[in-house]
Amino acid sequence: MDATIDKFLQYIRLELNLSPHTVTAYGTDLDQWEQYLTQGKRQLDVASVTPSDIRAWMLWLNNNGDGARTMRRKVQAVRSFYKWLMRQGVVTSSPAAAVEMARIPKRLPSMVRETSVDSLLDSDIDMDDFEQVRNRLIVMMLYETGMRRAELIGLRDANVDTGKMELKVHGKRDKDRIIPFGTELAQWIDSYRRLRDQQAVGCDRFFVRPTGEPLYPMLVYRVVKELLSQAGVSSKRSPHVLRHTFATAMLNNGASLNSVKELLGHESLATTQIYTHVTFSELKNNYKLAHPRALKKGG
């Protein structure tokens, strides 16, 4: 990989604190772009790259099977790279800035119906079984706080306060946020802690395995998928779906868009606005199912 690209990747990893997954994706995309431009036979000259070069690369990507969404991501990597080069004084303009890409419609996020989640959370389990209580609490925590899976795994025991009924999560870009919760969740937390402390010690994480070791992503995914399957959910079943369901439920029940933004830890209100489309879609669906004129043949 070109040394300049390598320095850029170090910058986004060390100074911007982007996730290892994001850094790897940027590295893969930029390496592919470099190989296309140089054909592996010459040194990359970032100052000589033109918008036509990038458009030709996009055509090559399309001919090799990349879709619009993938190409947009790869061009965005090049744009970020050139923004950094401009700040470093290496170039005075970005050839990628002149390349326009078609807007990709945002897909509506998947969600679970509130009745399905309520049915699951109200069902009986063995309250003396550590894993049953923990797994139920995982689903409750994701649904009632809207936290991300990584935030749940990294949640520290000291940051869960049932007295104040609030918890502190460590989110993206090293930002912390406080999330309130209700009495029922507080009671489940206390029950879980009693069982956990009887058999798992030596870990400062809130959620642990019976050995006392932290959870890992696939374990959380399997827990959520299994419990949602038991509740009869046949659509997508994942921790992130519960985050979507939390946001939609909050908006459906009168929460402001800005409040939901803060609870989810979104950087921009535009990211949260996708859920307004979900709630309107649900409203339209309810209308079609309930209004007598909509139910008429041909209506």
Side-chain angles (χ1 to χ4, degrees), residues 42-234:
R42 57 187 174 86
Q43 186 74 20
L44 175 64
D45 181 4
V46 293
S48 68
V49 178
T50 66
S52 295
D53 291 329
I54 297 177
R55 292 189 186 100
W57 177 52
M58 291 171 62
L59 180 61
W60 179 83
L61 291 173
N62 184 62
N63 290 338
N64 281 274
D66 281 358
R69 193 176 300 276
T70 301
M71 288 192 293
R72 186 181 183 89
R73 188 202 72 217
K74 291 180 177 182
V75 173
Q76 184 57 47
V78 176
R79 286 176 175 169
S80 298
F81 177 52
Y82 269 93
K83 284 181 181 178
W84 175 77
L85 289 173
M86 290 170 66
R87 285 196 294 268
Q88 298 297 308
V90 177
V91 297
T92 57
S93 62
S94 168
V99 177
E100 293 186 9
M101 295 188 65
R103 288 182 176 271
I104 300 175
K106 288 188 176 181
R107 291 177 293 190
L108 293 181
S110 301
M111 55 170 287
V112 180
R113 290 192 174 276
E114 291 180 48
T115 53
S116 297
V117 184
D118 288 341
S119 175
L120 168 62
L121 299 183
D122 291 338
S123 62
D124 293 330
I125 63 169
D126 183 354
M127 294 302 294
D128 293 321
D129 186 298
F130 168 72
E131 290 197 55
Q132 284 192 45
V133 173
R134 182 202 65 187
N135 293 353
R136 172 67 62 84
L137 184 57
I138 285 173
V139 173
M140 291 183 74
M141 194 82 85
L142 291 168
Y143 173 59
E144 296 189 32
T145 69
M147 69 172 67
R148 302 176 178 92
R149 175 173 59 177
E151 294 169 344
L152 179 135
I153 292 172
L155 186 63
R156 303 290 176 181
D157 190 58
N159 290 337
V160 181
D161 189 333
T162 53
K164 294 181 179 180
M165 289 196 289
E166 61 183 33
L167 53 84
K168 181 170 74 173
V169 298
H170 188 66
K172 288 185 175 181
R173 291 182 169 82
D174 284 336
K175 290 188 176 180
D176 294 333
R177 69 183 187 280
I178 303 295
I179 304 177
F181 55 83
T183 304
E184 182 188 26
L185 187 56
Q187 292 170 347
W188 274 86
I189 289 170
D190 289 338
S191 297
Y192 162 74
R193 273 178 165 153
R194 282 193 294 271
L195 294 174
R196 181 199 63 193
D197 294 345
Q198 289 172 10
Q199 67 178 84
V201 293
C203 182
D204 66 347
R205 299 289 178 91
F206 177 75
F207 282 111
V208 297
R209 288 176 269 169
T211 57
E213 298 173 286
L215 305 184
Y216 51 91
M218 186 51 67
L219 173 59
V220 177
Y221 175 81
R222 286 200 300 263
V223 165
V224 172
K225 183 176 182 180
E226 180 181 345
L227 292 186
L228 289 181
S229 297
Q230 291 175 10
V233 177
S234 57

